Amino acid sequence: MDTHRIVLLGGGYGGMYFMRTLLARLPDHVEVTLIDRLPKSPLKTEFYSITAGTTSLKDVTMPFPTHPKLTCIFDEVLLINQEQKTVTCREQGDVAYDTLVVALGCVDRFHGIAGAEMYSNSLQSLKRAQMTGHDILTMDAYRSVVLIGAGLTGIELAAELRESRPDLNVTIVDRNDKVLKGFSPKLQEYVESWLTEHDVTILHGIQTERIEPDHIVHQQGTIPFDQLVWTAGIQASPLIRSLQCSFDSIGRAAVNEWLQLPGDPAVFVIGDSAASVHPPSAQLAEFHGEYAAQTILSLLQNEQPKQREYQNKGQLGSLGKGMGFGQVKGIDLAGKIPRLLKSGVLWSYKKHVEKTTVLTKE
């Protein structure tokens, strides 16, 4: 039987769950190639802690699985050619595939605001999170850090900075009238009260018009800053736009019920790269990775894939190392318990990944 070449682009949450599921049942005639810029899988939901300086690099990365049929290429993807069924990398050149799985994640979405990309720090890659952390943590005392966006990342970063740099003036700027859009009013009030009590300033209803090197310009005036961090939205990796398909409002590729491109069943798109009625999240990416792997395994064995529906288990956030908040199965949680639960979820994910590595070595 001819060798079937599966190429995976991206080793984040979706990519790791894809490999974990696929490698456990890999047919003999299948070879897998992972292409990622980093030699380890990044735990992106924890990047805020790297920026705040409260965790180390080893705490926010995991080793990729090892397997006789798995090849890892650490390189940057430049082009996807669906007609030729190749992926072009900066150093490696062309890599051919029979099945392609695209899990390239997301980047910041600046909403067309002038100066935003040029003057903002970012948390959307491990390198950028480290650079942002260096810029903040090496500032003199009493300098100002402004975070644009009061979503989960902005809240967690602000809280963590309160622990690592209590001397800094931390401000969250947001266009909405409440923090954490999408959470319940009870949790919004709890988190806002916690931030206020810990000397984090929150400015609501700010429509940013443009950003200059040291201040934000909005309809009511200006807001000065020494360092600015963008946490106000994401969009799919720009490379997704090169695929032959339609896209949603944040550039994610439209896929069918099997996570394939409707016009090209050889290409699967998962995680933050795939259009969905659900907001982007690590949890959704993990589901996509497992689902795509199960579908591909069924197709390789000439079996009918089993359709599955995503079930959101909830969402958890941290307020420093001791407190947290979240919604689990529709129940609001606040205080120490959700913080412990979040730590448990991260521990469980790492154990799953470590188990994959051990199993595939045997």
Side-chain angles (χ1 to χ4, degrees):
M1 186 177 295
D2 293 338
T3 299
H4 188 95
R5 301 161 297 183
I6 298 176
V7 173
L8 167 65
L9 306 183
Y13 293 106
M16 289 294 274
Y17 261 66
F18 176 80
M19 288 186 287
R20 172 177 175 263
T21 306
L22 188 74
L23 295 175
R25 296 170 46 200
L26 194 68
D28 291 338
H29 71 289
V30 178
E31 293 182 349
V32 184
T33 298
L34 164 68
I35 303 176
D36 195 288
R37 287 183 295 182
L38 296 177
K40 286 189 173 184
S41 176
L43 305 177
K44 195 170 186 178
T45 57
E46 306 306 305
F47 281 1
Y48 70 90
S49 62
I50 281 288
T51 297
T54 53
T55 56
S56 65
L57 186 61
K58 67 180 180 63
D59 294 322
V60 298
T61 58
M62 291 293 295
F64 289 124
T66 58
H67 191 282
K69 294 292 188 71
L70 173 65
T71 300
C72 295
I73 297 174
F74 305 124
D75 205 345
E76 180 182 3
V77 178
L78 300 178
L79 178 68
I80 300 171
N81 189 323
Q82 291 172 250
E83 285 75 20
Q84 298 295 322
K85 285 194 169 184
T86 59
V87 175
T88 302
C89 300
R90 184 174 297 280
E91 302 295 335
Q92 187 76 17
D94 290 345
V95 179
Y97 68 84
D98 297 299
T99 297
L100 179 67
V101 180
V102 182
L104 290 172
C106 60
V107 297
D108 287 306
R109 185 187 184 197
F110 294 105
H111 307 282
I113 297 173
E117 185 171 5
M118 180 176 296
Y119 299 119
S120 297
N121 292 297
S122 173
L123 273 65
Q124 288 304 321
S125 72
L126 182 56
K127 181 178 181 180
R128 292 296 302 276
Q130 287 178 289
M131 292 170 62
T132 300
H134 177 270
D135 290 344
I136 293 174
L137 298 173
T138 57
M139 285 197 299
D140 293 338
Y142 313 120
R143 299 294 185 180
S144 63
V145 180
V146 173
L147 315 179
I148 295 189
L152 187 58
T153 300
I155 296 299
E156 290 187 310
L157 176 57
E160 209 85 357
L161 283 173
R162 265 291 151 260
E163 295 190 355
S164 63
R165 289 295 306 265
D167 56 291
L168 295 178
N169 298 307
V170 179
T171 299
I172 299 176
V173 173
D174 194 65
R175 63 183 178 180
N176 299 304
D177 59 355
K178 296 285 186 181
V179 300
L180 294 170
K181 183 179 179 182
F183 281 78
S184 71
K186 178 182 176 181
L187 287 179
Q188 290 175 329
E189 292 173 8
Y190 170 77
V191 170
E192 184 140 0
S193 295
W194 189 96
L195 291 169
T196 301
E197 290 170 4
H198 288 79
D199 297 322
V200 175
T201 301
I202 306 171
L203 302 178
H204 290 296
I206 303 296
Q207 294 284 351
T208 300
E209 295 182 346
R210 70 178 188 275
I211 297 176
E212 299 291 346
D214 60 358
H215 64 275
I216 298 169
V217 179
H218 59 98
Q219 292 176 336
Q220 291 81 35
T222 62
I223 302 170
F225 61 81
D226 292 302
Q227 292 293 336
L228 180 71
V229 184
W230 189 270
T231 62
I234 59 172
Q235 59 187 348
S237 166
L239 196 60
I240 300 302
R241 286 286 187 179
S242 68
L243 295 173
Q244 298 174 10
C245 62
S246 56
F247 308 92
D248 69 3
S249 61
I250 59 172
R252 298 182 297 180
V255 293
N256 64 17
E257 66 271 29
W258 308 111
L259 300 175
Q260 298 164 298
L261 295 185
D264 189 351
V267 178
F268 290 73
V269 185
I270 65 174
D272 295 346
S273 301
S276 173
V277 297
H278 306 285
S281 69
Q283 184 184 159
L284 179 62
E286 291 166 3
F287 170 80
H288 279 180
E290 185 175 69
Y291 184 35
Q294 291 172 342
T295 299
I296 290 171
L297 286 168
S298 295
L299 294 174
L300 288 171
Q301 296 167 9
N302 296 315
E303 299 174 355
Q304 177 63 32
K306 295 181 180 179
Q307 195 167 344
R308 293 174 56 193
E309 295 294 332
Y310 172 67
Q311 299 292 328
N312 191 336
K313 299 174 184 177
Q315 192 171 21
L316 296 166
S318 66
L319 295 171
K321 299 303 182 187
M323 304 295 279
F325 59 92
Q327 295 171 323
V328 178
K329 296 183 179 180
I331 300 174
D332 289 341
L333 300 173
K336 294 182 179 180
I337 290 177
R339 186 63 183 93
L340 291 171
L341 287 175
K342 183 182 178 183
S343 297
V345 169
L346 181 61
W347 179 87
S348 177
Y349 173 82
K350 288 182 175 181
K351 286 300 178 183
H352 278 306
V353 172
E354 289 171 358
K355 184 178 179 181
T356 302
T357 304
V358 172
L359 286 174
T360 54
K361 285 182 178 178
E362 295 178 354

